[in-house]
Amino acid sequence: MKKRYKFLKKVGVLLKKIGCREFLHHFGPKKYQFKEHAAALLLKEVCKTSFRRVVVICELFDIKVPSYSALCKSRKRIPNWIWNKLLQISSEIEAESVAIDSTGFSRTNPSFYYVKRIDSKKPVKAYAKLSILYEINKKKIISMRIRARPRHDINDVYYLLKQNRYLKKLYGDSAYDSEELHEYCFYNNIQTIIKKRKNVKRGGFRKIQNRNYSEEEYHRRSLVESGFSSLKRRYGASVSAKKFRNLNAEIYCRAIVSNLDLKI
């Protein structure tokens, strides 16, 4: 019986560490604690199921959770700082060597039969973009940025770097080979291991950082690709949410349960 509540207790400990209140709402009846909402939302991504089914699963194991409609409404009300703090506390590391990269989650997931039926020759291009900092030694996601529409990779770098104070090495592909990024990392004592773009030779800070560049060490960057693969294979490569706040919460939940190594 005690094992049934182990996951719920673990979520409660994480929320307590980040200083989150017992009840997230100020008004209305205090029937369900926020940890019960958060546990159900995380379990939904672990099981890759709907709100209705995750409520049924929790009831089968005698875990007290709100109704499926209450979960759906509460998800969009959770502020982004809570997701950020939960992601950082779930990694439990002071990252020094990180790799940066981005990927996409399909916002529509039509079947092959449907694509054939509408005579579509190309796949649906709508997707949500995810950029992350990935700790390559412990294989944890330490920070992330989500966009509803595609943007260039370099636009999210500074947002991610400012959330981490212990960085010593930054691995990235040629999309991140920017003189401004090399300058920022130089003044913040971060060594960049970034592959040079073709026919680009200008930039004093680029030259300074490239003195310690090693092709052998650069290939450690590919570990972030393994992290993306693991995240999508375990919890799905598409998102069902339509509004950005729901989409943001859905992907954050997947990253958090991935750091906690929860799977079925």
Side-chain angles (χ1 to χ4, degrees):
M1 180 66 71
K2 291 183 179 180
K3 289 185 178 181
R4 296 181 181 179
Y5 299 96
K6 186 176 181 181
F7 176 63
L8 184 63
K9 186 176 181 180
K10 192 170 187 177
V11 174
V13 171
L14 292 176
L15 292 174
K16 190 174 181 180
K17 285 183 179 180
I18 66 174
C20 191
R21 300 193 305 268
E22 185 178 2
F23 296 94
L24 196 61
H25 58 286
H26 293 281
F27 306 102
K30 305 295 189 292
K31 187 175 181 181
Y32 296 99
Q33 298 178 7
F34 177 56
K35 69 177 182 180
E36 293 166 341
H37 286 260
L41 292 174
L42 294 174
L43 190 61
K44 173 183 175 294
E45 301 305 325
V46 175
C47 298
K48 294 190 286 187
T49 186
S50 63
F51 286 105
R52 293 174 185 266
R53 288 181 178 178
V54 76
V55 171
V56 173
I57 291 171
C58 291
E59 289 176 349
L60 288 174
F61 288 95
D62 199 22
I63 300 175
K64 181 182 176 184
V65 293
S67 65
Y68 71 90
S69 59
L71 286 176
C72 187
K73 293 176 182 177
S74 66
R75 182 174 68 169
K76 63 182 179 182
R77 297 193 185 112
I78 301 173
N80 200 54
W81 72 265
I82 291 182
W83 295 124
N84 271 322
K85 290 287 186 181
L86 282 175
L87 183 67
Q88 292 173 6
I89 203 71
S90 64
S91 63
E92 297 180 345
I93 51 175
E94 296 178 355
E96 294 186 356
S97 300
V98 300
I100 186 170
D101 206 353
S102 61
T103 188
F105 283 86
S106 173
R107 299 188 65 179
T108 53
N109 193 25
S111 65
F112 288 106
Y113 173 77
Y114 176 79
V115 174
K116 183 179 179 181
R117 185 71 180 268
I118 64 175
D119 296 327
S120 177
K121 296 181 180 179
K122 296 181 180 180
V124 179
K125 292 185 178 180
Y127 66 93
K129 183 177 180 181
L130 169 66
S131 299
I132 67 169
L133 285 183
Y134 189 75
E135 215 288 327
I136 58 179
N137 295 319
K138 300 293 184 180
K139 297 180 175 58
K140 302 282 187 179
I141 300 173
I142 59 172
S143 61
M144 55 194 288
R145 183 88 182 265
I146 302 164
R147 290 184 181 272
R149 296 180 179 179
R151 293 290 301 276
H152 194 278
D153 294 346
I154 201 67
N155 291 328
D156 297 326
V157 174
Y158 304 104
Y159 172 85
L160 296 173
L161 294 178
K162 288 177 182 177
Q163 297 186 45
N164 300 276
R165 299 174 295 172
Y166 305 101
L167 299 186
K168 298 298 181 184
K169 284 187 178 182
L170 177 66
Y171 297 79
D173 57 21
S174 56
Y176 299 96
D177 183 26
S178 165
E179 176 67 12
E180 290 77 11
L181 177 59
H182 287 297
E183 181 180 358
Y184 176 87
C185 292
F186 176 80
Y187 285 118
N188 287 275
N189 299 317
I190 301 173
Q191 173 62 50
T192 57
I193 309 295
I194 298 175
K195 191 171 185 177
K196 294 185 292 184
R197 288 181 291 164
K198 292 182 179 180
N199 302 321
V200 176
K201 298 180 180 180
R202 294 183 179 181
F205 291 99
R206 180 183 283 108
K207 292 178 180 179
I208 293 173
Q209 294 282 30
N210 283 335
R211 290 174 185 171
N212 296 319
Y213 176 82
S214 168
E215 189 70 25
E216 182 179 353
E217 189 175 11
Y218 165 74
H219 287 296
R220 299 188 69 195
R221 186 206 67 83
S222 62
L223 291 171
V224 69
E225 304 287 356
S226 301
F228 283 139
S229 176
S230 174
L231 184 67
K232 291 182 177 182
R233 281 185 287 105
R234 287 182 179 183
Y235 311 111
S238 63
V239 288
S240 57
K242 302 301 180 185
K243 294 185 178 180
F244 177 74
R245 289 183 68 89
N246 294 335
L247 182 149
N248 185 68
E250 190 172 339
I251 298 178
Y252 261 105
C253 284
R254 295 183 187 185
I256 292 167
V257 295
S258 176
N259 281 349
L260 297 174
D261 198 26
L262 300 176
K263 54 187 176 180
I264 56 173

